[in-house]
Amino acid sequence: MPRVKVKLNSAGVVDIFEQWAARDGARRADRVAAQGRATAPVVSGTYRDSIRVSRETHGRGRPVFHIGPSVDYGMKVEAATGTMARALDAAGGA
């Protein structure tokens, strides 16, 4: 079997990531956050209301979405309930 060399256009790969983030990634992240807010345990509502989506750029222009609570006790609630872990299903498949 002959060996084939493939050379990727780095700028083209970054452009594909950017297109995904703008078209589909942001929508999926918003669905996860909405599901997290809908199923969050509510004592005062602060945890639920702090669930947000933020977008960052990592590495060579790779977009990344962070989804979760911003309150200082958010990790304790997540460890006890798994609210955001279960909310990931709301993003849907391909």
Side-chain angles (χ1 to χ4, degrees):
M1 177 180 253
R3 297 184 91 158
V4 178
K5 276 191 168 183
V6 175
K7 183 173 180 177
L8 296 177
N9 176 338
S10 295
V13 171
V14 170
D15 187 44
I16 289 170
F17 279 131
E18 185 58 40
Q19 288 176 27
W20 168 83
R23 292 183 184 157
D24 191 43
R27 271 194 317 246
R28 288 176 188 248
D30 288 337
R31 285 196 306 259
V32 171
Q35 180 67 18
R37 285 188 292 271
T39 59
V42 178
V43 174
S44 68
T46 306
Y47 171 81
R48 177 197 59 218
D49 296 343
S50 76
I51 296 174
R52 300 274 186 262
V53 175
S54 63
R55 179 182 166 175
E56 290 182 16
T57 302
H58 286 198
R60 299 177 180 155
R62 184 173 46 94
V64 176
F65 292 94
H66 295 275
I67 311 161
S70 60
V71 292
D72 58 350
Y73 55 88
M75 293 303 286
K76 283 185 178 182
V77 174
E78 179 60 21
T81 65
T83 301
M84 295 309 300
R86 285 193 309 279
L88 287 173
D89 286 339

